[in-house]
């Protein structure tokens, strides 16, 4: 039964991506998730920024290859930080599991040493991990000379917009 649910999920994903314009590939899909982001100082545990209207975009650029592109939209590391950043983490490998009640496919990931697209090594993400399913939890740590942050995004809903 689990294999059948997985197969149905893959077929549904391929069907939703079949209408995409652009060059031929294995197809792609994306979803925007709205939720809460909490940034804490990794050493002290003090919350340095919270946004209850945060947004994360998760895309699978090629459905044949099990890799995500995860973009944290408008992230700040401290309340007084003057600008919000869009941190795009490209090529995050994932695996899939099926929930115990066999109703949800969960995407599980854990990657290290990712530099967000368009940034340099001072924005090195030491680790990004989490799961996307009925509940979404995506976390990353950025620990270096300039940043000492742990960021967690949580959500229970999505605006599954296919791009």
């Amino acid at each position: 039964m689990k294999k059948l649910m997985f197969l149905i999920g893959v077929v549904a994903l391929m069907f939703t991506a079949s209408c995409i314009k652009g060059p031929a590939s294995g197809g792609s899909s994306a979803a925007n998730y709205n939720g809460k982001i909490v940034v804490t100082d990794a050493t002290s545990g003090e919350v340095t920024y919270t946004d209850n209207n945060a947004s994360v975009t998760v895309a699978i650029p090629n459905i044949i290859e099990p890799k995500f592109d995860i973009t944290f939209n408008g992230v700040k590391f401290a309340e007084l930080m003057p600008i919000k950043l869009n941190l795009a983490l490209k090529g995050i490998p994932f695996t899939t599991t099926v929930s115990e009640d066999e109703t949800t496919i969960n995407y599980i990931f854990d990657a290290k040493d990712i530099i967000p697209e368009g940034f340099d090594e001072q924005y090195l993400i030491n680790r990004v991990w989490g799961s996307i399913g009925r509940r979404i939890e995506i976390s990353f740590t950025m620990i270096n000379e300039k940043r000492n942050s742990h960021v967690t995004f949580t959500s229970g809903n999505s605006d599954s917009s296919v791009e």
Side-chain angles (χ1 to χ4, degrees):
M1 185 66 177
K2 289 181 183 180
K3 290 180 183 179
L4 178 62
M5 290 298 295
F6 178 73
L7 183 59
I8 290 171
V10 170
V11 169
L13 186 60
M14 289 175 62
F15 178 74
T16 60
S18 66
C19 300
I20 298 171
K21 298 176 185 174
S25 71
S28 65
S29 68
N32 294 312
Y33 297 99
N34 299 308
K36 180 178 183 178
I37 197 164
V38 177
V39 181
T40 58
D41 181 281
T43 303
S44 69
E46 175 187 345
V47 173
T48 58
Y49 180 73
T50 301
D51 183 353
N52 291 319
N53 296 310
S55 167
V56 170
T57 303
V58 179
I60 301 174
N62 181 348
I63 62 169
I64 297 171
E65 187 176 9
K67 290 188 178 183
F68 283 136
D69 292 345
I70 301 172
T71 303
F72 287 82
N73 303 304
V75 173
K76 290 172 65 170
F77 294 99
E79 196 64 46
L80 297 177
M81 188 172 162
I83 61 171
K84 292 183 175 185
L85 303 173
N86 292 329
L87 298 178
L89 313 179
K90 303 284 187 171
I92 308 297
F94 66 85
T95 59
T96 57
T97 63
V98 177
S99 63
E100 287 184 23
D101 63 1
E102 297 183 352
T103 61
T104 307
I105 295 175
N106 299 303
Y107 300 88
I108 311 296
F109 55 95
D110 192 344
K112 294 183 179 183
D113 300 330
I114 307 291
I115 297 174
E117 183 176 60
F119 289 89
D120 61 21
E121 287 150 6
Q122 77 176 1
Y123 283 91
L124 173 74
I125 304 291
N126 304 91
R127 180 179 175 221
V128 59
W129 69 97
S131 65
I132 298 171
R134 189 172 295 145
R135 177 167 161 71
I136 294 92
E137 185 167 333
I138 304 169
S139 298
F140 73 82
T141 56
M142 182 183 288
I143 300 173
N144 57 39
E145 298 111 29
K146 295 188 179 205
R147 300 270 177 254
N148 190 26
S149 300
H150 175 78
V151 178
T152 299
F153 172 85
T154 54
S155 176
N157 61 350
S158 76
D159 165 25
S160 298
S161 60
V162 176
E163 297 177 348

